[in-house]
Amino acid sequence: MMTRIIGTGSCAGESIVTNEDLAQIVETSDEWIRTRTGIRERRLTTELGTSGMAAEASMRACENAGIRPEELDLILLATSTPEYCFPNGACQIQAKIGAVNAAAFDISAACTGFVFALQTAHSFLVSGAFRTILVVGADDLSKTVDWKDRSTCVLFGDGAGAVVVKGDEKGSFHGIMKADGSRSQVLTCRARTEGNFRNGKTPELGYLHMDGQEVFKFAVKKVPECISQLLEEQQVEKEEIRYYILHQANERIIESVAKRLKEPLEKFPMNIQQYGNTSAATIPILLDEMNRAGKLNRGDQIVLSGFGGGLTWGAILMEW
Ligand code: ACO
């Protein structure tokens, strides 16, 4: 049994914020941001939040797949920015779209979340536990960013992307998931877990912290390594790959991965210019844009690859 994406949808934050807008609030410039990251603008959510964007993307994915939300039997949401500790964000989506027959839970793996969630969905389809699964990547990182810190605030945007998947006797789907918790401090955002009346500490919600150069080095090493391992294991030649759809964190990371894989940059679609890094949402948003633009044909072999906090990273080789 293989896993097939039968519909896609996406929804970005409502408000466009350009590099020039950010130059009004921190000491930066359009030139610095563009040349270091490729980002020109990003979309921040003002009202929708994680669950609102996720629900909108999910409705669009169901419509695109030609199914009613009632036909879903599982919703998996990859996010680092749920609005509540509980209920989980997937249950919020379930309620908002009326997916009354679906179980629902969240997966936390930062920017790798969508790649992990899609592999989780695949395992459930193979096991026969579920038949029609909605996999969503959604993040509202603008609420975790310190808007006084120019080294991080210029990088992120808010958005959501969703796919509907079903099992298929034909096709192919293989994945790799990796983690290295010993390097967790490279990229962190503290949750509310510190204080209680015994230890006398006040719970503190932290901002996102990142050692940019370490993340850069980690990504350009692990992503090509992981993709090469996957292709080798499946005995698929690079020439057979139509697209490498990578997590959109930085244009230079993508360029470097292409170079290390010795593959032309044209095989690495990008939309970071318009959205910035939307964390778990980057890959499904890009997939949706490509799908709606008619760039994906049934039978195309594509590679998806994510990397991020944890540290976590992974890749999927699948047939469109
Ligand atoms: N505008 C102007 N100057 C800036 C800005 C800014 N927005 N941010 C940092 N600088 C300055 C720094 O203060 C530093 O100044 P100094 O030399 O006087 O000290 C100088 O620019 C260079 O800073 P570096 O951090 O060395 O810049 P670098 O070339 O490494 O680029 C960047 C920083 C873009 C963050 C890069 O390291 C990177 O892309 N890393 C990957 C991290 C990433 O993509 N994270 C996304 C989240 S994680 C994920 O999605 C997996």
Side-chain angles (χ1 to χ4, degrees):
M1 168 81 75
M2 293 302 169
T3 291
R4 179 89 68 186
I5 293 176
I6 61 162
T8 62
S10 62
C11 172
E14 308 92 292
S15 172
I16 296 177
V17 176
T18 64
N19 291 347
E20 283 83 5
D21 291 333
L22 293 183
Q24 309 292 316
I25 61 164
V26 287
E27 205 181 321
T28 191
S29 65
D30 174 53
E31 202 265 338
W32 193 96
I33 302 170
R34 262 191 301 106
T35 52
R36 302 286 174 124
T37 69
I39 301 166
R40 290 168 186 271
E41 60 188 36
R42 69 287 293 139
R43 309 275 296 263
L44 304 191
T45 174
T46 45
E47 303 294 329
L48 288 171
T50 299
S51 68
M53 294 186 297
E56 192 58 44
S58 301
M59 281 308 290
R60 291 174 190 169
C62 289
E63 274 166 30
N64 186 247
I67 67 155
R68 289 173 294 113
E70 296 90 315
E71 292 172 58
L72 296 168
D73 50 16
L74 179 63
I75 298 172
L76 297 176
L77 170 65
T79 188
S80 308
T81 49
E83 286 149 14
Y84 298 87
C85 295
F86 45 86
N88 65 41
C91 279
Q92 289 180 284
I93 299 174
Q94 190 233 28
K96 283 182 200 266
I97 69 171
V100 289
N101 298 309
F105 65 93
D106 291 2
I107 287 179
S108 168
C111 306
T112 322
F114 181 77
V115 168
F116 280 15
L118 193 53
Q119 293 191 53
T120 307
H122 172 67
S123 302
F124 277 129
L125 291 174
V126 169
S127 76
F130 297 99
R131 287 153 45 114
T132 310
I133 305 180
L134 176 71
V135 184
V136 189
D139 269 307
D140 180 5
L141 280 181
S142 67
K143 310 302 184 298
T144 69
V145 157
D146 178 356
W147 289 98
K148 294 191 188 73
D149 175 11
R150 67 177 182 175
S151 70
T152 52
C153 77
V154 301
L155 302 175
F156 299 99
D158 302 329
V163 300
V164 177
V165 290
K166 263 185 162 317
D168 194 328
E169 290 311 322
K170 293 194 222 92
S172 66
F173 188 105
H174 305 279
I176 290 182
M177 301 201 273
K178 302 262 193 187
D180 179 1
S182 73
R183 298 180 66 202
S184 60
Q185 292 309 305
V186 168
L187 191 49
T188 60
C189 187
R190 193 109 175 72
R192 186 193 292 261
T193 53
E194 255 185 342
N196 63 24
F197 87 102
R198 276 289 188 203
N199 67 15
K201 289 182 185 168
T202 312
E204 236 178 74
L205 285 179
Y207 286 122
L208 181 153
H209 289 284
M210 177 183 74
D211 182 336
Q213 293 191 357
E214 282 305 310
V215 174
F216 198 100
K217 282 190 264 175
F218 146 72
V220 299
K221 181 169 187 291
K222 293 298 183 186
V223 172
E225 214 173 83
C226 177
I227 292 174
S228 299
Q229 182 189 337
L230 185 57
L231 297 186
E232 221 171 280
E233 280 172 8
Q234 300 310 319
Q235 300 185 331
V236 170
E237 297 297 328
K238 282 185 290 190
E239 292 66 36
E240 297 173 58
I241 303 303
R242 181 80 180 90
Y243 292 116
Y244 297 90
I245 298 168
L246 303 192
H247 168 49
Q248 307 282 298
N250 184 316
E251 197 174 82
R252 288 190 299 141
I253 292 179
I254 297 173
E255 287 166 359
S256 175
V257 170
K259 210 164 158 187
R260 284 176 191 227
L261 286 171
K262 298 193 177 66
E263 281 282 76
L265 198 55
E266 298 76 65
K267 286 172 114 178
F268 294 75
M270 287 188 234
N271 63 4
I272 187 168
Q273 298 81 1
Q274 288 84 51
Y275 297 108
N277 178 350
T278 56
S279 196
T282 66
I283 292 175
I285 291 176
L286 186 52
L287 270 177
D288 183 46
E289 289 192 341
M290 293 176 69
N291 183 27
R292 285 170 195 266
K295 291 186 176 158
L296 294 162
N297 299 309
R298 282 281 166 243
D300 282 349
Q301 295 267 23
I302 59 172
V303 168
L304 314 181
S305 181
F307 52 92
L311 295 172
T312 52
W313 65 103
I316 293 169
L317 167 67
M318 69 182 297
E319 189 181 295
W320 183 255

